[in-house]
Amino acid sequence: MTRIPSSLPADHPRVSSGKVGVLLVNLGTPDAPDARSVRRYLKEFLSDRRVVEIPALAWQPILRGVILNTRPKRSARAYAEVWTDAGSPLAAITAAQTAALQERLGAGVQVAYAMRYGRPAIGAALQALMDDGCERILLAPLYPQYSAATTATVVDKAADTLRTMRWQPAMRTLPPYHDDPVYIDALAADIGAQIDALDFAPEVLVLSFHGMPERTLLLGDPYHCHCRKTARLLEAALRRPDLRIETAFQSRFGRAKWLEPATETLLAEEARNGTRRLAIAAPGFAADCLETLEELGIRGRAQFEGAGGERFAALACLNAGAPGMDMLETIVRRELAGWV
């Protein structure tokens, strides 16, 4: 590592070195809410062997022959419902988180962001940090709960770039923080404030995490356990004995058995069983996106109210608000110890 400023001859090629970088990484998003952009995004996403653990010879004909010819139009309509003037909500919020963290960390650390699928790509972002002199880089997947389909595939993609570099940076990876007290406290403060601001008192709070095939749990993926622990700790931190808290898993895809209960099923059952006022939060998502804004906020409301529910609120993710940024700054500074 270049810890002492270099003294180079006048005719030496320019070298930028000695800096520390942080690369925030989120899942990804299409470039636009149209079928062509969504098709390109889904092709990359659903071709990842970490995401779909079906042999390629069996999966690729289904993906290319069926899914990519039917799903993009439907998904594009869903993206269009949540798209903003700033573009994709996920991209805009991740950019805001990056800017806020940069301001908090100061000039001594360079903060950038990338998407695992879509743009900006992890490889390009890593190379840009290296080109700017970042010899030490913290790779920070914004996934509180570890899964091979999320955290591991970010590390895989970064490694794909590293193996092409002659001069590699030193790397650290932000570990999962599903049970970190600063994360739980941030969730409790943010969710609690949002509940208090509602014009009704919910009877039930649903904590909805992204779903995974049940097979991943049986193969040893800790994701399900991480989600359940987050939910248990968050319930304790909220200290609301009159609020019943349920945990569910959303975004099922395909015919395989997924983690249960399914969010859409739970919402309908709650309404049919007499729950009239319900709030839903997505603590596993660092930023609002299609899955929170459309799947929960729009379709989730329709599922609950269609089954007899009366009042429904989809709570925002931590996003770039103060509780979330306080938490992110704390865990990033912890992992940068010894570098800054």
Side-chain angles (χ1 to χ4, degrees):
M1 293 299 100
T2 305
R3 296 183 180 274
I4 301 173
S6 301
S7 179
L8 302 174
D11 61 347
H12 194 284
R14 179 182 178 275
V15 176
S16 181
S17 62
K19 298 180 182 179
V20 174
V22 174
L23 183 61
L24 305 180
V25 183
N26 218 318
L27 182 71
T29 176
D31 293 330
D34 58 56
R36 182 177 180 180
S37 299
V38 173
R39 183 177 295 110
R40 183 168 57 245
Y41 169 73
L42 288 178
K43 182 180 179 181
E44 182 183 8
F45 177 45
L46 296 177
S47 293
D48 188 338
R49 297 293 298 275
R50 292 276 198 184
V51 173
V52 180
E53 298 183 90
I54 298 173
L57 285 176
W59 172 244
Q60 283 296 323
I62 298 172
L63 175 62
R64 296 169 185 266
V66 180
I67 295 172
L68 293 180
N69 289 317
T70 57
R71 191 177 178 90
K73 289 183 179 179
R74 183 169 68 252
S75 293
R77 289 193 293 270
Y79 274 107
E81 292 200 65
V82 300
W83 215 257
T84 71
D85 292 341
S88 159
L90 179 65
I93 293 168
T94 306
Q97 291 170 321
T98 302
L101 186 60
Q102 180 67 78
E103 183 176 355
R104 286 164 174 258
L105 296 181
V109 177
Q110 186 164 328
V111 186
Y113 76 93
M115 298 294 174
R116 173 57 185 89
Y117 312 101
R119 293 179 284 193
I122 291 174
L126 278 176
Q127 187 63 61
L129 286 171
M130 187 67 178
D131 291 345
D132 201 43
C134 293
E135 293 180 282
R136 289 161 283 174
I137 299 174
L138 172 65
L139 183 68
L142 296 179
Y143 305 119
Q145 297 78 25
Y146 178 95
S147 172
T150 54
T151 307
T153 193
V154 167
V155 176
D156 289 347
K157 196 65 175 179
D160 288 343
T161 297
L162 291 173
R163 67 169 50 95
T164 68
M165 289 179 165
R166 179 170 294 279
W167 183 3
Q168 293 180 338
M171 297 288 297
R172 293 177 179 174
T173 301
L174 182 73
Y177 48 96
H178 65 286
D179 61 352
D180 194 309
V182 297
Y183 165 64
I184 300 300
D185 289 347
L187 287 175
D190 191 59
I191 290 174
Q194 291 189 67
I195 290 174
D196 290 339
L198 296 175
D199 62 357
F200 68 94
E203 303 162 74
V204 176
L205 171 65
V206 175
L207 302 177
S208 182
F209 295 87
H210 200 290
M212 292 288 174
E214 185 183 61
R215 180 173 177 270
T216 62
L217 171 63
L218 302 178
L219 289 173
D221 197 304
Y223 178 75
H224 179 262
C225 299
H226 282 190
C227 292
R228 288 291 184 178
K229 189 172 186 182
T230 295
R232 185 171 68 253
L233 293 173
L234 178 54
E235 180 172 8
L238 282 170
R239 297 184 180 89
R240 293 176 182 254
D242 295 333
L243 180 64
R244 179 162 54 88
I245 298 178
E246 301 289 344
T247 300
F249 298 89
Q250 64 183 88
S251 308
R252 289 185 297 180
F253 177 77
R255 298 180 180 179
K257 183 175 177 59
W258 282 54
L259 298 177
E260 294 182 340
T263 299
E264 60 183 5
T265 302
L266 180 64
L267 290 176
E269 288 179 349
E270 283 291 339
R272 285 196 293 267
N273 291 337
T275 300
R276 292 295 171 260
R277 305 182 307 279
L278 182 145
I280 191 166
F285 293 82
D288 276 307
C289 54
L290 181 73
E291 287 80 3
T292 64
L293 298 172
E294 192 275 337
E295 185 178 353
L296 298 183
I298 297 175
R299 278 190 283 150
R301 176 185 296 276
Q303 290 154 359
F304 180 67
E305 293 179 350
E310 296 174 358
R311 305 300 303 275
F312 178 91
L315 307 182
C317 296
L318 288 172
N319 295 331
M325 292 311 305
D326 289 345
M327 179 272 298
L328 188 58
E329 179 186 358
T330 298
I331 62 176
V332 165
R333 284 190 182 276
R334 181 192 303 156
E335 298 306 317
L336 291 176
W339 281 2
V340 295

